[in-house]
Amino acid sequence: GEGIYKIGLTRRLEPLDRVRELGDASVPFLFDLHAMIFSEDAPALERNLHEIFDDKRLNLVNRRKEFFRATLEEIEEEVYKIEPESEFIKTTESREFKETMALLNAKKEEVEKTNVLNDEFPDSI
């Protein structure tokens, strides 16, 4: 969802493999990659970010679920405070989400248009 980010790490050579794995049938959309952070000590950076954003954690019961309500700008700011030499690369595709939102908006506009037409032309006089 909007304003919700998973702050996690992968040790895979191809990080997108992990992203694709997370977007399986148990979630409504493919996972969107909003940023990649290259760090010399990714485990420490992840741990620090989890501590900083702990009060914004979505799942308070299962702490292995690494989802937080924050902005990308907040996350980036904290990354550079912790590790100024890290590399923060923003990238957003969100293809499935954006296409779904466009379809929903088009449907909403059609319903509103129909409602306006029905209000202008009563069924009986």
Side-chain angles (χ1 to χ4, degrees):
E2 290 188 52
I4 297 173
Y5 294 93
K6 176 174 178 39
I7 301 174
L9 70 87
T10 183
R11 289 180 171 82
R12 297 190 183 180
L13 292 176
E14 179 52 58
L16 291 177
D17 288 346
R18 178 66 177 139
V19 173
R20 282 188 284 278
E21 184 179 89
L22 291 168
D24 66 7
S26 65
V27 294
F29 300 102
L30 293 174
F31 262 61
D32 297 320
L33 183 65
H34 293 273
M36 289 182 61
I37 306 162
F38 293 96
S39 166
E40 289 297 319
D41 191 355
L45 178 60
E46 179 194 43
R47 186 174 49 257
N48 285 321
L49 289 172
H50 287 184
E51 288 173 12
I52 290 166
F53 291 104
D54 191 60
D55 64 331
K56 296 183 178 199
R57 186 179 289 275
L58 263 61
N59 189 329
L60 301 178
V61 177
N62 184 346
R63 301 194 59 80
R64 293 182 60 211
K65 303 286 184 176
E66 304 168 320
F67 294 90
F68 303 85
R69 187 174 304 282
T71 66
L72 195 56
E73 292 73 24
E74 288 174 309
I75 297 168
E76 182 179 22
E77 181 180 324
E78 295 300 333
V79 165
Y80 286 129
K81 282 181 188 176
I82 299 164
E83 198 176 294
E85 66 282 354
S86 63
E87 188 176 356
F88 194 98
I89 301 167
K90 290 181 185 176
T91 172
T92 304
E93 183 179 288
S94 309
R95 185 182 54 79
E96 285 186 354
F97 178 76
K98 288 177 181 174
E99 287 178 16
T100 297
M101 295 310 293
L103 291 169
L104 289 172
N105 286 333
K107 187 175 184 177
K108 180 181 174 186
E109 288 173 11
E110 187 62 33
V111 167
E112 288 172 356
K113 184 178 174 182
T114 301
N115 288 342
V116 168
L117 288 176
N118 287 341
D119 288 345
E120 291 177 5
F121 302 103
D123 292 332
S124 62
I125 299 182

